[in-house]
């Protein structure tokens, strides 16, 4: 029973702790020239969008904040009292909690900073999500009634923000009152370069072709997706899939891919593009009722030719190993990957065209809520996917002590297999991206920051970011052949250490082609506070000094 508990602890560590990587910063790192701006907010942001709201050619920041604060309800009554001539007014004050949802816009200034554009725009609970086009020209809001476009006006009543209705089509989540920040509704679905709208409705996925805002939206196609309806304690629950937009059949047009709700990539669906924003009926892959063994863990274009490949994963661990070997395999699991091409029908070719063995974790198991910072990613900008795996380092004594102390100090290392022009995956030797992190299971904070994130120098390659315990962020520049230097190339010094890595983002905020840092720092909660205020610290990359 103790070993089962330990195994559960390792799974928890593997799925939650990897993002909290702490590595020492080298004195050889050059300071990155950055411009730092701090923005005060009534709460931590739910969503931050980069868009040219005021149409001056610079990307502004649109921030959605949901927070709760103390308010009061005043009840005024007029009554007669014995012995008092005339009427008496009685005012009753009742403390109340008020939920607020607002959109704050900070205008980009000529000197590279930000300033409030106007008063915050109150958002009703009918606002379900918001998104910006890739060029930042427009912000769309998904509502209970359809889709609205954000507009900035400076006439009549002065500077103000408003949402103008563009499309009337009720989404499937209408009436939920929830705000869903990352639905990814905007895609180029017909290959014309303009972003289109992919709207989940109760009848299926509806496509409305852009450009957005040019007249009312017209329904182009409606594709029914394989969802699932279940009953839990008499309540009907609808699981509604949101498709991934990928090119999978080599025709240059985007297709829709829908992983199965139960079997993930072991059983999935593809809706091939029929052109002009229309899609063919769902095709279930692989064909037949039997699941593929070893299991499929990925379906997508690996070599950059627009045709998707299948990837299977075989666990090479010894099931009959003793405790020591089992611990060793838990730290450095041996895995074999086989790559299979897809036929014209998109069925998987039975014989692999490439297979190779790796050490480490690359894909989370089943329906894990915490994605690993590993897997396939184009690291060197050549259009081909490379593979990242993770290994752990700990002692048996420390593994056993976690049961008593609920704390553990674990070594962590990243390994890279780079894909060459012939489709072979070769290990990149000489890398040293290792470090250590500490995890307190009593106060678990889950981060979302991938270590391979952002292009800070604008060379088209992904860089490796290290968030340390202190205020220093160090960056290893990506090079040809997926190589990363042992010593960091650049460093950024933060105003203060991040309180929670889940509130750190690496993004190009100002559209200059270089990644920036965005850190949300919640204030210390006061006794009567419901939602603590927050400071949004933005670090804009400006190249080297």
């Amino acid at each position: 029973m103790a070993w089962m508990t330990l195994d559960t602890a390792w799974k928890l560590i593997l799925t939650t702790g990897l993002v909290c990587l702490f590595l020492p910063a080298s004195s050889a790192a050059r300071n990155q020239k950055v411009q730092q701006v701090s923005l005060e907010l009534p709460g931590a942001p739910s969503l931050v969008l980069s868009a040219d709201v005021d149409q001056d050619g610079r990307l502004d920041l649109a921030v959605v904040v949901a927070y709760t604060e103390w308010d009061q309800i005043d009840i005024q009554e007029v009554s007669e009292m014995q012995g008092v001539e005339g009427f008496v007014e009685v005012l009753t004050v009742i403390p109340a909690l008020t939920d607020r949802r607002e959109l704050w816009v900070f205008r980009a200034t000529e000197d590279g900073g930000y300033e409030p554009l106007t008063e915050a725009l109150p958002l009703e609970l009918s606002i379900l999500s918001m998104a910006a086009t890739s060029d930042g020209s427009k912000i769309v809001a998904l509502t209970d009634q359809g889709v609205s476009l954000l507009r900035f006006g400076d006439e009549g009543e002065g500077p103000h923000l408003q949402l103008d209705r563009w499309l009337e089509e009720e989404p499937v989540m209408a009436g939920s009152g929830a705000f869903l920040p990352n639905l990814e509704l905007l895609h180029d679905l017909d290959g014309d370069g303009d972003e289109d709208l992919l709207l989940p409705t109760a009848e299926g996925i509806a496509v409305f072709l852009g450009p957005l805002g040019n007249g009312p939206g017209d329904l182009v196609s409606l594709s029914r997706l394989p969802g699932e309806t279940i009953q839990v304690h008499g309540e009907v629950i609808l699981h509604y899939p949101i498709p991934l937009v990928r090119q999978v059949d080599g025709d240059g047009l985007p297709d829709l891919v829908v992983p199965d709700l139960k079997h993930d990539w072991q059983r999935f669906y593809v809706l091939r593009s029929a052109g002009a924003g229309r899609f063919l009926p769902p095709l279930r892959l692989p064909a037949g009722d039997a699941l593929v063994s070893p299991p499929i863990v990925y379906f997508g274009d690996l070599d950059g030719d627009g045709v998707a490949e299948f990837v299977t994963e075989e666990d090479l661990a010894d099931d009959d190993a003793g405790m020591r070997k089992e611990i060793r395999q838990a730290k450095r699991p041996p895995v074999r990957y086989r790559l299979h091409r897809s036929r014209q029908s998109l069925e998987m070719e039975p014989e692999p065209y490439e297979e190779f063995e790796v050490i480490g974790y690359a894909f989370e198991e089943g329906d894990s809520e915490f994605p690993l910072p590993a897997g396939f990613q184009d690291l060197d900008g050549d259009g081909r996917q490379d593979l990242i795996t993770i290994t752990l380092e700990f002692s048996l004594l420390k593994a056993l002590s976690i049961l008593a102390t609920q704390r553990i100090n674990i070594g962590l290392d990243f390994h890279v297999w780079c894909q060459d022009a012939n489709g072979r995956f070769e290990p990149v030797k000489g890398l040293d991206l290792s470090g250590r992190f500490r995890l307190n299971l009593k106060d678990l904070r889950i981060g979302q920051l991938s270590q391979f994130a952002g292009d800070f120098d604008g060379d088209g390659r992904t860089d490796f970011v290290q968030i340390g315990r202190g205020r220093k962020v160090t960056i290893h520049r990506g090079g040809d052949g997926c190589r990363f230097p042992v010593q960091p190339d650049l460093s950024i010094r933060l105003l203060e250490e991040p309180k929670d890595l889940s509130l750190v983002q690496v993004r190009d905020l100002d559209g200059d082609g270089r990644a920036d840092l965005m850190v949300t720092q919640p204030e210390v909660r006061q006794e009567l506070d419901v939602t603590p205020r927050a400071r949004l610290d933005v670090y804009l990359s400006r190249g080297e000094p």
Side-chain angles (χ1 to χ4, degrees):
M1 182 63 68
W3 179 247
M4 291 178 62
T5 306
L6 179 60
D7 181 61
T8 303
W10 283 128
K11 288 184 178 179
L12 181 61
I13 291 168
L14 182 62
T15 55
T16 61
L18 295 181
V19 291
C20 300
L21 173 62
F22 300 121
L23 296 174
S26 168
S27 59
R30 301 188 300 275
N31 288 327
Q32 170 80 356
K33 183 180 179 182
V34 299
Q35 184 167 357
Q36 191 276 322
V37 181
S38 292
L39 307 174
E40 298 293 334
L41 295 169
S46 302
L47 177 67
V48 179
L49 301 173
S50 295
D52 187 5
V53 178
D54 58 358
Q55 301 297 305
D56 66 350
R58 294 185 290 267
L59 293 183
D60 313 304
L61 295 182
V63 185
V64 177
V65 181
Y67 62 100
T68 303
E69 65 178 2
W70 283 106
D71 203 345
Q72 65 183 34
I73 299 175
D74 298 338
I75 301 176
Q76 189 171 21
E77 299 176 311
V78 179
S79 61
E80 294 181 315
M81 295 186 63
Q82 186 176 3
V84 178
E85 183 178 353
F87 294 96
V88 176
E89 291 188 1
V90 179
L91 178 64
T92 304
V93 179
I94 303 175
L97 290 174
T98 302
D99 293 326
R100 303 191 187 279
R101 189 182 290 174
E102 298 173 340
L103 177 68
W104 293 66
V105 174
F106 297 93
R107 179 203 303 254
T109 58
E110 293 185 1
D111 61 359
Y114 294 98
E115 63 182 13
L117 178 62
T118 182
E119 297 290 331
L121 174 66
L123 298 178
E124 299 178 356
L125 293 180
S126 60
I127 307 297
L128 304 172
S129 186
M130 301 188 78
T133 56
S134 58
D135 61 0
S137 61
K138 291 182 177 65
I139 290 181
V140 301
L142 180 65
T143 73
D144 284 348
Q145 296 76 35
V147 176
S148 297
L149 298 176
L150 181 69
R151 186 174 71 86
F152 171 68
D154 198 4
E155 69 284 341
E157 64 259 33
H160 64 281
L161 299 167
Q162 67 183 54
L163 291 171
D164 295 336
R165 185 73 56 81
W166 175 66
L167 170 69
E168 293 194 18
E169 186 73 32
E170 186 175 293
V172 68
M173 63 283 289
S176 66
F179 186 79
L180 308 170
N182 300 307
L183 284 182
E184 298 186 5
L185 304 173
L186 302 179
H187 304 271
D188 180 9
L189 298 172
D190 56 358
D192 66 351
D194 290 324
E195 284 179 290
D196 311 305
L197 179 68
L198 194 66
L199 182 64
T201 71
E203 290 75 28
I205 287 289
V207 174
F208 298 86
L209 295 184
L212 304 179
N214 289 5
D218 293 325
L219 176 66
V220 173
S221 65
L222 181 69
S223 300
R224 299 190 181 278
L225 297 183
E228 181 183 18
T229 302
I230 61 175
Q231 285 194 357
V232 179
H233 302 300
E235 181 181 2
V236 177
I237 299 177
L238 172 65
H239 290 272
Y240 195 98
I242 302 296
L244 305 173
V245 178
R246 294 180 177 176
Q247 291 188 20
V248 300
D249 59 3
D251 64 359
L253 296 174
D255 309 295
L256 305 182
V257 182
V258 187
D260 188 86
L261 292 167
K262 291 182 178 179
H263 301 294
D264 202 23
W265 293 110
Q266 276 284 75
R267 179 79 67 218
F268 60 96
Y269 299 84
V270 174
L271 287 74
R272 302 174 75 165
S273 175
R278 292 174 171 81
F279 297 89
L280 300 177
L283 171 67
R284 193 177 78 165
L285 294 172
D289 296 328
L291 299 179
V292 175
S293 182
I296 299 171
V297 293
Y298 184 84
F299 176 74
D301 180 14
L302 291 176
D303 53 11
D305 64 353
V307 180
E309 285 80 31
F310 294 80
V311 180
T312 65
E313 180 183 70
E314 180 183 2
D315 183 5
L316 299 180
D318 185 0
D319 294 334
D320 297 325
M323 179 178 290
R324 290 185 178 276
K325 187 174 181 181
E326 194 165 348
I327 284 281
R328 186 166 62 252
Q329 291 179 156
K331 295 187 292 185
R332 302 173 60 84
V335 178
R336 178 182 291 122
Y337 289 105
R338 294 182 176 90
L339 314 183
H340 299 254
R341 300 200 185 278
S342 56
R343 297 171 174 170
Q344 188 173 4
S345 63
L346 293 186
E347 280 295 325
M348 183 175 76
E349 290 282 0
E351 294 299 321
Y353 70 90
E354 174 75 6
E355 64 178 83
F356 58 100
E357 295 182 9
V358 307
I359 298 294
Y361 297 92
F363 301 96
E364 63 271 13
E365 296 181 6
D367 57 353
S368 171
E369 297 180 3
F370 316 114
L372 299 179
F376 288 111
Q377 186 176 344
D378 181 8
L379 295 177
D380 54 2
D382 62 359
R384 296 184 291 268
Q385 300 293 306
D386 310 298
L387 180 64
I388 304 163
T389 67
I390 299 170
T391 56
L392 308 175
E393 185 59 45
F394 52 86
S395 67
L396 179 59
L397 178 62
K398 288 183 178 180
L400 295 173
S401 69
I402 189 176
L403 301 177
T405 65
Q406 297 293 294
R407 298 172 184 269
I408 193 167
N409 191 329
I410 298 180
L412 182 70
D413 200 3
F414 286 81
H415 309 270
V416 174
W417 276 259
C418 197
Q419 183 180 183
D420 62 21
N422 297 316
R424 291 189 295 267
F425 284 78
E426 300 292 343
V428 180
K429 299 181 180 180
L431 290 182
D432 184 6
L433 302 177
S434 60
R436 305 195 70 81
F437 72 89
R438 293 178 181 174
L439 187 64
N440 182 356
L441 297 183
K442 295 180 181 179
D443 183 21
L444 194 60
R445 291 189 175 186
I446 301 169
Q448 301 293 328
L449 178 62
S450 173
Q451 279 76 20
F452 290 93
D455 177 11
F456 285 85
D457 53 6
D459 65 351
R461 304 184 186 97
T462 301
D463 301 321
F464 185 78
V465 183
Q466 302 175 16
I467 307 294
R469 282 190 183 165
R471 296 162 54 188
K472 182 175 287 187
V473 175
T474 54
I475 301 162
H476 300 245
R477 285 174 166 168
D480 290 333
C482 311
R483 303 200 63 83
F484 296 84
V486 174
Q487 300 298 329
D489 298 291
L490 306 170
S491 67
I492 299 174
R493 189 166 179 82
L494 306 179
L495 288 178
E496 62 177 301
E497 179 184 357
K499 295 182 176 68
D500 187 349
L501 284 184
S502 68
L503 301 178
V504 178
Q505 292 188 35
V506 178
R507 292 169 47 189
D508 181 8
L509 296 171
D510 53 4
D512 65 352
R514 292 189 293 264
D516 309 301
L517 274 177
M518 184 170 61
V519 183
T520 299
Q521 297 283 22
E523 293 182 359
V524 177
R525 184 189 296 270
Q526 302 299 321
E527 290 185 5
L528 297 179
D529 283 348
V530 178
T531 302
R533 294 183 61 84
R535 188 184 74 240
L536 186 64
D537 293 335
V538 177
Y539 302 84
L540 301 172
S541 299
R542 301 300 188 204
E544 296 180 33

PDB file of all heavy atoms in Angstrom, residues 13-26:
ATOM      1  N   ILE A  13       3.638  14.721  -8.765  1.00  0.00           N
ATOM      2  CA  ILE A  13       4.823  15.541  -8.990  1.00  0.00           C
ATOM      3  C   ILE A  13       5.041  15.756 -10.481  1.00  0.00           C
ATOM      4  O   ILE A  13       5.308  16.862 -10.952  1.00  0.00           O
ATOM      5  CB  ILE A  13       6.061  14.867  -8.378  1.00  0.00           C
ATOM      6  CG1 ILE A  13       5.958  14.904  -6.849  1.00  0.00           C
ATOM      7  CG2 ILE A  13       7.347  15.547  -8.833  1.00  0.00           C
ATOM      8  CD1 ILE A  13       6.983  14.022  -6.166  1.00  0.00           C
ATOM      9  N   LEU A  14       4.913  14.685 -11.239  1.00  0.00           N
ATOM     10  CA  LEU A  14       5.191  14.753 -12.673  1.00  0.00           C
ATOM     11  C   LEU A  14       4.252  15.694 -13.386  1.00  0.00           C
ATOM     12  O   LEU A  14       4.636  16.419 -14.288  1.00  0.00           O
ATOM     13  CB  LEU A  14       5.100  13.353 -13.280  1.00  0.00           C
ATOM     14  CG  LEU A  14       5.404  13.250 -14.773  1.00  0.00           C
ATOM     15  CD1 LEU A  14       6.821  13.689 -15.042  1.00  0.00           C
ATOM     16  CD2 LEU A  14       5.168  11.849 -15.259  1.00  0.00           C
ATOM     17  N   THR A  15       2.982  15.728 -12.980  1.00  0.00           N
ATOM     18  CA  THR A  15       1.991  16.509 -13.719  1.00  0.00           C
ATOM     19  C   THR A  15       1.826  17.921 -13.205  1.00  0.00           C
ATOM     20  O   THR A  15       1.193  18.734 -13.857  1.00  0.00           O
ATOM     21  CB  THR A  15       0.622  15.827 -13.677  1.00  0.00           C
ATOM     22  OG1 THR A  15       0.248  15.609 -12.310  1.00  0.00           O
ATOM     23  CG2 THR A  15       0.657  14.508 -14.403  1.00  0.00           C
ATOM     24  N   THR A  16       2.383  18.234 -12.021  1.00  0.00           N
ATOM     25  CA  THR A  16       2.159  19.571 -11.484  1.00  0.00           C
ATOM     26  C   THR A  16       3.442  20.337 -11.212  1.00  0.00           C
ATOM     27  O   THR A  16       3.430  21.557 -11.231  1.00  0.00           O
ATOM     28  CB  THR A  16       1.367  19.508 -10.165  1.00  0.00           C
ATOM     29  OG1 THR A  16       2.118  18.766  -9.209  1.00  0.00           O
ATOM     30  CG2 THR A  16       0.022  18.861 -10.386  1.00  0.00           C
ATOM     31  N   GLY A  17       4.528  19.667 -10.963  1.00  0.00           N
ATOM     32  CA  GLY A  17       5.703  20.376 -10.502  1.00  0.00           C
ATOM     33  C   GLY A  17       6.672  20.790 -11.585  1.00  0.00           C
ATOM     34  O   GLY A  17       7.545  21.608 -11.337  1.00  0.00           O
ATOM     35  N   LEU A  18       6.552  20.265 -12.779  1.00  0.00           N
ATOM     36  CA  LEU A  18       7.576  20.495 -13.784  1.00  0.00           C
ATOM     37  C   LEU A  18       7.683  21.943 -14.196  1.00  0.00           C
ATOM     38  O   LEU A  18       8.739  22.394 -14.606  1.00  0.00           O
ATOM     39  CB  LEU A  18       7.285  19.628 -15.014  1.00  0.00           C
ATOM     40  CG  LEU A  18       7.376  18.119 -14.768  1.00  0.00           C
ATOM     41  CD1 LEU A  18       7.089  17.385 -16.050  1.00  0.00           C
ATOM     42  CD2 LEU A  18       8.739  17.741 -14.251  1.00  0.00           C
ATOM     43  N   VAL A  19       6.592  22.690 -14.112  1.00  0.00           N
ATOM     44  CA  VAL A  19       6.629  24.067 -14.562  1.00  0.00           C
ATOM     45  C   VAL A  19       7.337  24.966 -13.577  1.00  0.00           C
ATOM     46  O   VAL A  19       7.634  26.104 -13.886  1.00  0.00           O
ATOM     47  CB  VAL A  19       5.198  24.583 -14.796  1.00  0.00           C
ATOM     48  CG1 VAL A  19       4.580  23.910 -15.975  1.00  0.00           C
ATOM     49  CG2 VAL A  19       4.370  24.366 -13.560  1.00  0.00           C
ATOM     50  N   CYS A  20       7.595  24.495 -12.366  1.00  0.00           N
ATOM     51  CA  CYS A  20       8.228  25.325 -11.350  1.00  0.00           C
ATOM     52  C   CYS A  20       9.724  25.060 -11.353  1.00  0.00           C
ATOM     53  O   CYS A  20      10.310  24.651 -10.355  1.00  0.00           O
ATOM     54  CB  CYS A  20       7.625  25.043  -9.987  1.00  0.00           C
ATOM     55  SG  CYS A  20       5.859  25.371  -9.920  1.00  0.00           S
ATOM     56  N   LEU A  21      10.359  25.245 -12.494  1.00  0.00           N
ATOM     57  CA  LEU A  21      11.779  24.954 -12.640  1.00  0.00           C
ATOM     58  C   LEU A  21      12.596  26.115 -12.113  1.00  0.00           C
ATOM     59  O   LEU A  21      12.387  27.257 -12.499  1.00  0.00           O
ATOM     60  CB  LEU A  21      12.107  24.706 -14.117  1.00  0.00           C
ATOM     61  CG  LEU A  21      13.578  24.541 -14.471  1.00  0.00           C
ATOM     62  CD1 LEU A  21      14.139  23.331 -13.766  1.00  0.00           C
ATOM     63  CD2 LEU A  21      13.746  24.412 -15.960  1.00  0.00           C
ATOM     64  N   PHE A  22      13.564  25.823 -11.240  1.00  0.00           N
ATOM     65  CA  PHE A  22      14.431  26.853 -10.701  1.00  0.00           C
ATOM     66  C   PHE A  22      15.860  26.522 -11.101  1.00  0.00           C
ATOM     67  O   PHE A  22      16.388  25.475 -10.729  1.00  0.00           O
ATOM     68  CB  PHE A  22      14.316  26.914  -9.171  1.00  0.00           C
ATOM     69  CG  PHE A  22      12.932  27.229  -8.698  1.00  0.00           C
ATOM     70  CD1 PHE A  22      12.256  26.356  -7.862  1.00  0.00           C
ATOM     71  CD2 PHE A  22      12.310  28.386  -9.099  1.00  0.00           C
ATOM     72  CE1 PHE A  22      10.991  26.640  -7.425  1.00  0.00           C
ATOM     73  CE2 PHE A  22      11.034  28.683  -8.660  1.00  0.00           C
ATOM     74  CZ  PHE A  22      10.379  27.809  -7.829  1.00  0.00           C
ATOM     75  N   LEU A  23      16.485  27.408 -11.840  1.00  0.00           N
ATOM     76  CA  LEU A  23      17.845  27.186 -12.295  1.00  0.00           C
ATOM     77  C   LEU A  23      18.716  28.379 -11.918  1.00  0.00           C
ATOM     78  O   LEU A  23      18.245  29.516 -11.896  1.00  0.00           O
ATOM     79  CB  LEU A  23      17.880  27.002 -13.814  1.00  0.00           C
ATOM     80  CG  LEU A  23      17.147  25.775 -14.348  1.00  0.00           C
ATOM     81  CD1 LEU A  23      17.137  25.810 -15.863  1.00  0.00           C
ATOM     82  CD2 LEU A  23      17.818  24.512 -13.871  1.00  0.00           C
ATOM     83  N   PRO A  24      19.990  28.171 -11.638  1.00  0.00           N
ATOM     84  CA  PRO A  24      20.857  29.286 -11.271  1.00  0.00           C
ATOM     85  C   PRO A  24      21.189  30.138 -12.488  1.00  0.00           C
ATOM     86  O   PRO A  24      21.428  29.632 -13.578  1.00  0.00           O
ATOM     87  CB  PRO A  24      22.115  28.579 -10.732  1.00  0.00           C
ATOM     88  CG  PRO A  24      22.128  27.260 -11.417  1.00  0.00           C
ATOM     89  CD  PRO A  24      20.689  26.859 -11.572  1.00  0.00           C
ATOM     90  N   ALA A  25      21.213  31.429 -12.301  1.00  0.00           N
ATOM     91  CA  ALA A  25      21.559  32.353 -13.374  1.00  0.00           C
ATOM     92  C   ALA A  25      23.066  32.566 -13.395  1.00  0.00           C
ATOM     93  O   ALA A  25      23.705  32.751 -12.369  1.00  0.00           O
ATOM     94  CB  ALA A  25      20.840  33.685 -13.169  1.00  0.00           C
ATOM     95  N   SER A  26      23.647  32.530 -14.580  1.00  0.00           N
ATOM     96  CA  SER A  26      25.084  32.693 -14.718  1.00  0.00           C
ATOM     97  C   SER A  26      25.452  34.160 -14.789  1.00  0.00           C
ATOM     98  O   SER A  26      24.735  34.982 -15.343  1.00  0.00           O
ATOM     99  CB  SER A  26      25.559  31.982 -15.985  1.00  0.00           C
ATOM    100  OG  SER A  26      26.876  32.353 -16.283  1.00  0.00           O
TER     101      SER A  26
END
